[in-house]
Amino acid sequence: MPPIDLDVADLAPSHPALTPYDEQHAITYMRLLDADAEGADWREVARIVLHIDPEREPDRARRAFDSHLARARWAARESRRVAGQVR
């Protein structure tokens, strides 16, 4: 089971395959997807999930939030695609 509350890099990976970073941050990705589905404010999500204070570091917080949410969406699509091929 991946750790629940890891710190994150400033930018999520952009490699065309799942990486060890992605595997380690699977729960972070799930939390981001849940927050997005609920319409949570990105600043609150950056503070709580990514551990970046958007008041002190607004640019870093926004970049990290955007890149990690995009990667979480990609990882979810990729996982569904791979699961469909396995069947």
Side-chain angles (χ1 to χ4, degrees), residues 18 74-87:
L18 290 172
W74 174 86
R77 285 192 309 271
E78 184 67 8
S79 296
R80 285 192 298 271
R81 183 186 68 75
V82 170
Q85 289 177 355
V86 172
R87 291 181 185 180

Side-chain angles (χ1 to χ4, degrees), residues 4-45:
I4 292 176
D5 211 20
L6 291 175
D7 287 333
V8 298
D10 287 353
L11 293 173
S14 59
H15 192 272
L18 290 172
T19 68
Y21 182 93
D22 295 317
E23 292 170 5
Q24 293 168 353
H25 289 83
I27 292 175
T28 300
Y29 292 169
M30 287 185 264
R31 293 174 72 196
L32 286 168
L33 292 170
D34 286 346
D36 184 57
E38 293 175 8
D41 184 278
W42 76 268
R43 291 171 289 266
E44 182 179 356
V45 177

Side-chain angles (χ1 to χ4, degrees), residues 32-87:
L32 286 168
L33 292 170
D34 286 346
D36 184 57
E38 293 175 8
D41 184 278
W42 76 268
R43 291 171 289 266
E44 182 179 356
V45 177
R47 183 178 299 106
I48 294 169
V49 177
L50 305 180
H51 309 128
I52 302 172
D53 184 344
E55 300 298 321
R56 289 190 5 214
E57 300 179 278
D59 293 338
R60 177 177 174 241
R62 188 64 203 218
R63 277 191 309 273
F65 172 80
D66 288 343
S67 73
H68 282 83
L69 180 57
R71 188 65 173 185
R73 289 174 176 155
W74 174 86
R77 285 192 309 271
E78 184 67 8
S79 296
R80 285 192 298 271
R81 183 186 68 75
V82 170
Q85 289 177 355
V86 172
R87 291 181 185 180

